[in-house]
Amino acid sequence: MHETALMKNLLTTIEQVLDSHHVSRVNRVYLSVGQLSNALPEALSFAFEAMTREGRLQGAELIIENRPAVARCESCGEEYRVEKFPLVCPTCRSTSFIIISGEEVYVQSIDCEEKCPDD
Amino acid sequence: MTRLQINQDLKALNNQIAVENREKFAAHNVYVINIMGSPGAGKTTFLENILPKLSLELRVAVIEGDLATQNDALRIEKTGVQALQINTAGGCHLDAKMIKNQLSKLDLDVLDLLIIENVGNLVCPAAWDLGEDQRMVILSVAEGEDKPAKYPIAFLKADTAVITKTDLLPFIDTDVNVMKKYIAEINPKVQVFTTALKDGEYEADQVVQYIREAVRRKQCR
Ligand SMILES: Nc1nc2c(ncn2[C@@H]2O[C@H](COP(=O)(O)OP(=O)(O)OP(=O)(O)O)[C@@H](O)[C@H]2O)c(=O)[nH]1
Ligand SMILES: [Mg+2]
Ligand SMILES: [Zn+2]
């Protein structure tokens, strides 16, 4: 449900970037969504669509890349993908870990059309 | 066509305000607990029962988060503890800015412990740092023993878990040990407590003791 809050932040972030560039149209927005972010891609797309019916991102496409979560073993330092619980280090079998990535919802980049200087 | 690199986490602003909140709490020696759990898990009941005990030794205040109503803040005030209510008007979680906005209403210099009851929801609050020291998940036996497995992120990020309503165990088929096993499988570091309502008495002494010690540890650092 907090996908709407995330998409509001997305629009604010992108609008700040647009303010400092001469952009006539945004074609695509590339977003990375961590496996442990508790944000559903479908709900993000839905909120994005609803919020870009008008305004400066009108018609932009949202492209979501799902990012796996990674844990670091606290016994041997090995980094491994979070797949199923309980987490067990593939190297030393320790169950002591910290999560080092997978919580992020991250705007990577946007594709856009730049305005001609005399527009 | 041009590609503009942005590279920004959408929770960056929240995380930055959470850091500011955390610094402010540290400067005033206030220990902060963020309580999360499903609607009706027993969060406010737990607070109503532990606050009188905590208040014997500590100066406590509570921030209540709900979609609507002042109900929970009013319940807390009946225990004699100051309570501020945040209404999120549809928002499914509290964020760091909402907490920051409440801080001017609290005198942090005369406080040892601030408890935040998040919006009833086992999913969204886990993703939003408020600047707390301890994340506590409250879960009732009535929700079923497999809830930790179904909602792993809340438990992955928790420091403590409190299993409530154990007085209902004779009437349902939840096994508390299985529930504890599920929690430990997701996050072996979580400290798990149970509470019970017996003959009108609410038993939560171990978790009260744990909170007192955690507050003292922060203040003696
Ligand atoms: N039998 C029993 N009932 C309990 C216990 N704790 C809470 N309840 C009941 O559960 C219901 C919900 O309790 P609340 O404390 O309001 O739950 P909450 O988690 O604060 O709910 P929200 O803030 O609305 O999400 C109330 O009817 C309580 O009386 C318990 O230990 N045993
Ligand atoms: Mg409540
Ligand atoms: Zn290892």
Side-chain angles (χ1 to χ4, degrees), chain B residues 39-45 66 72 75 117 120 165 167-168 197 202:
Chain B
K43 299 178 289 298
T44 310
T45 307
D66 282 292
D72 283 3
R75 284 169 63 186
E117 179 183 335
K165 311 193 190 180
D167 50 290
L168 299 179
L197 190 65
Y202 192 91

Side-chain angles (χ1 to χ4, degrees), chain B residues 24 30 52 54 69-70 104 118 128 131-132 141 146 155 162 166 193 206 211-212 220:
Chain B
K24 193 159 187 185
V30 180
L54 289 170
T69 83
Q70 301 282 320
S104 57
N118 218 309
W128 302 85
E132 68 275 6
V141 295
D146 64 347
F155 293 89
V162 177
T166 56
F193 300 94
Q206 282 187 319
I211 293 172
R212 275 194 198 122
C220 295

Side-chain angles (χ1 to χ4, degrees), chain A residues 1-2 6 9-10 28 30 36 38 74 86 95 97 103-112 114, chain B residues 1-11 92-93 121 123-124 128 153 156-157 185-186 188-189:
Chain A
M1 272 184 318
H2 62 293
L6 290 170
N9 293 355
L10 174 79
R28 274 178 289 279
Y30 294 91
L36 301 177
N38 261 343
E74 287 194 305
T95 54
F97 61 86
E103 288 178 43
E104 65 284 353
V105 180
Y106 201 84
V107 205
Q108 295 172 319
S109 57
I110 57 175
D111 284 346
C112 51
E114 292 203 80
Chain B
M1 200 188 62
T2 317
R3 178 163 294 178
L4 296 176
Q5 292 300 327
I6 299 186
N7 294 328
Q8 164 125 14
D9 194 312
L10 295 181
K11 286 181 284 187
C92 50
H93 60 275
N121 179 331
V123 181
C124 307
W128 302 85
I153 297 171
L156 207 50
K157 304 208 68 186
E185 278 183 359
I186 289 156
K189 288 180 191 147

Side-chain angles (χ1 to χ4, degrees), chain A residues 32-38 65-73 78-85 87-88 90 97-105, chain B residues 152-153 156-157 186:
Chain A
S32 296
V33 178
Q35 178 193 340
L36 301 177
S37 66
N38 261 343
E65 182 200 3
N66 292 306
R67 299 289 287 265
V70 177
R72 180 184 293 135
C73 172
E78 172 81 0
E79 291 178 7
Y80 58 97
R81 291 258 305 251
V82 172
E83 279 167 80
K84 61 173 185 3
F85 295 100
L87 297 185
V88 179
F97 61 86
I98 51 167
I99 299 292
I100 57 171
S101 71
E103 288 178 43
E104 65 284 353
V105 180
Chain B
I153 297 171
L156 207 50
K157 304 208 68 186
I186 289 156

